[in-house]
Amino acid sequence: MDKQEDALSAFGRRLSQLREERGLSIAELASRTGLGSGYIARIEAGQQDIPITVIFVLADGLSVPAARLLGTL
């Protein structure tokens, strides 16, 4: 696994963790963000590279600062 794949996997795990801590399903987060459920599922699985703007959309949907999603990636 290369560094980019490691980062995508770590980001996906963080997203999933924060979503679950808030008691949200993928469908609920999709509704809050306007992103597709499949897209979010691929992000959480570390299979989807995303633009920085999507990080801010996800953070807003989770009501956390974007920095919290990025953590110590």
Side-chain angles (χ1 to χ4, degrees), residues 21-54:
E21 284 175 3
R22 280 148 187 74
L24 298 173
S25 67
I26 289 176
E28 290 168 324
L29 181 58
S31 178
R32 285 181 172 207
T33 61
L35 301 172
S37 295
Y39 184 63
I40 293 173
R42 287 190 304 279
I43 294 169
E44 288 191 0
Q47 299 170 342
Q48 181 72 51
D49 199 355
I50 59 173
I52 189 88
T53 53
V54 171

Side-chain angles (χ1 to χ4, degrees), residues 9-26 28-30 32-33 40 43-44 50 54-73:
S9 291
F11 182 84
R13 286 190 303 272
R14 175 76 50 95
L15 175 60
S16 179
Q17 175 188 19
L18 290 171
R19 178 182 57 74
E20 290 173 359
E21 284 175 3
R22 280 148 187 74
L24 298 173
S25 67
I26 289 176
E28 290 168 324
L29 181 58
R32 285 181 172 207
T33 61
I40 293 173
I43 294 169
E44 288 191 0
I50 59 173
V54 171
I55 294 171
F56 286 95
V57 169
L58 290 167
D60 188 50
L62 293 168
S63 300
V64 300
R68 180 116 186 255
L69 267 176
L70 294 171
T72 58
L73 302 178

